[in-house]
Amino acid sequence: MMKRLFLCKVLLSFLLCCAGGLMTQAFAADGSLVRLQVLQLNVWQDATLVPGGFGGLVDEIAAHRPDVVTLCEVCDFQGVNFTDSLCRSLRAHGLHYYTCPSQDGGILSQYPIVESRALDSLSINRAVIDVQGRRLAVYAVHLDYTHYACYLPRGYDGVTWKECPLPQSVAEVLAQNDASRRPAEIRQLIAHAGKDLEAGMGVIIGGDFNEPSWMDWQADTKDLYDHRGFIVPWTTTRLLHEAGYRDAYRELYPSAVTHPGFTWVAGNKDVPIDKLTWAPKSDERDRIDFVFYKGGGMKPLRAALLGPRVSIVCGVRVEESSQDPLIEPQGIWPSDHRGVLVILLLEEEE
């Protein structure tokens, strides 16, 4: 009888989750199962580069009501605290979010934030949230945009952004990639998050890595998306994988052919193409925004891209035809990236 009651509660929770958008905040009545929705989005300089972008961002968060939001390019222009302003605007929609001081990486949570601090790297922010008695460490990450080496096989230099000869080897591509601060930044995060795991917390990492996934540049994609035959074990995501972190989107959609999951570059209809593309003669699409997780009994249930269906390919707006689940914006889209929405299941702890 108790087992039947428990299953009914879980089913009811699931139905409530699916009632609006990808999911609304919900958990089983006995607290044993929690479904946590995470949104990762680069907000493109405080959502200031798209007319009406801030209001569009508020509308998207209000529509999907993610439990946790990780934001990149939080700049606090003119001394205005961006995440505080966002929380105030969301209250008008009846939503209460907690936030914390940020340096590029902003964090919002519908669950209380019990601790926060930026790492020594200005690109990484951390908050510990209390999810019905369980503590999770959330990291918002915006890694170094320089030495953008995935442009090399596409005929563009990742430092100057100018056209250049194609590289002669994968080693040449990785040499430019690893000259960025990204590998050092992610190693610092892994070391710091290791203490969270030792303390019994699960870890969630959301961010714009400015680097593709090693799982997306393998043999099956070497002749797609202007990869020009290159198979590249991109350093940053590989380091996370080797440390036991899992890429939520790729866990659910293993094929980078059927589900490339492109988050860059989004064909924002309210922005001229020349303001969106950095390599206009190439197919510069990549999946560079991620949600990673480890510990806490977490596993991914669902994931989708959030943003325009149109991308920019060789300087032209092109509608995506992949099998990626994609939720189009309510109205104004604030970014040149797509966001990533993930539902994580926190299983009962023993």
Side-chain angles (χ1 to χ4, degrees), residues 169-237:
S169 67
V170 171
E172 184 180 340
V173 175
L174 286 176
Q176 183 175 112
N177 185 76
D178 294 349
S180 76
R181 297 190 304 272
R182 293 187 294 272
E185 288 169 334
I186 215 66
R187 287 187 177 97
Q188 181 186 16
L189 187 156
I190 290 170
H192 197 282
K195 299 174 184 177
D196 298 324
L197 293 165
E198 290 173 2
M201 290 186 273
V203 175
I204 297 171
I205 302 167
D208 168 8
F209 283 21
N210 278 307
E211 183 180 317
S213 168
W214 68 279
M215 291 188 284
D216 297 354
W217 282 63
Q218 297 192 13
D220 56 354
T221 60
K222 68 182 179 66
D223 298 315
L224 301 174
Y225 322 131
D226 278 354
H227 290 188
R228 306 277 174 81
F230 279 82
I231 300 170
V232 184
W234 297 105
T235 307
T236 302
T237 51

Side-chain angles (χ1 to χ4, degrees), residues 146-152 156-159 171-180 182:
T146 64
H147 299 87
Y148 196 75
C150 59
Y151 275 3
L152 286 172
Y156 284 82
D157 187 82
V159 178
E172 184 180 340
V173 175
L174 286 176
Q176 183 175 112
N177 185 76
D178 294 349
S180 76
R182 293 187 294 272

Side-chain angles (χ1 to χ4, degrees), residues 264-332:
W264 168 265
V265 52
N268 194 313
K269 64 181 179 58
D270 296 314
V271 179
I273 288 177
D274 63 357
K275 302 296 184 184
L276 295 169
T277 178
W278 290 58
K281 295 181 182 178
S282 74
D283 183 348
E284 59 194 299
R285 293 174 296 172
D286 263 311
R287 187 172 66 100
I288 61 174
D289 295 80
F290 303 95
V291 175
F292 281 87
Y293 65 93
K294 183 178 181 181
M298 289 184 284
K299 67 178 183 181
L301 286 181
R302 298 175 68 189
L305 304 178
L306 176 62
R309 189 169 296 277
V310 170
S311 295
I312 308 298
V313 180
C314 299
V316 177
R317 297 184 193 274
V318 175
E319 184 165 316
E320 291 291 348
S321 59
S322 72
Q323 297 178 34
D324 292 297
L326 185 144
I327 303 169
E328 295 192 73
Q330 307 288 308
I332 295 173

Side-chain angles (χ1 to χ4, degrees), residues 134-146:
R134 307 182 193 188
R135 294 199 168 186
L136 299 175
V138 178
Y139 288 82
V141 177
H142 185 212
L143 299 183
D144 183 10
Y145 74 94
T146 64

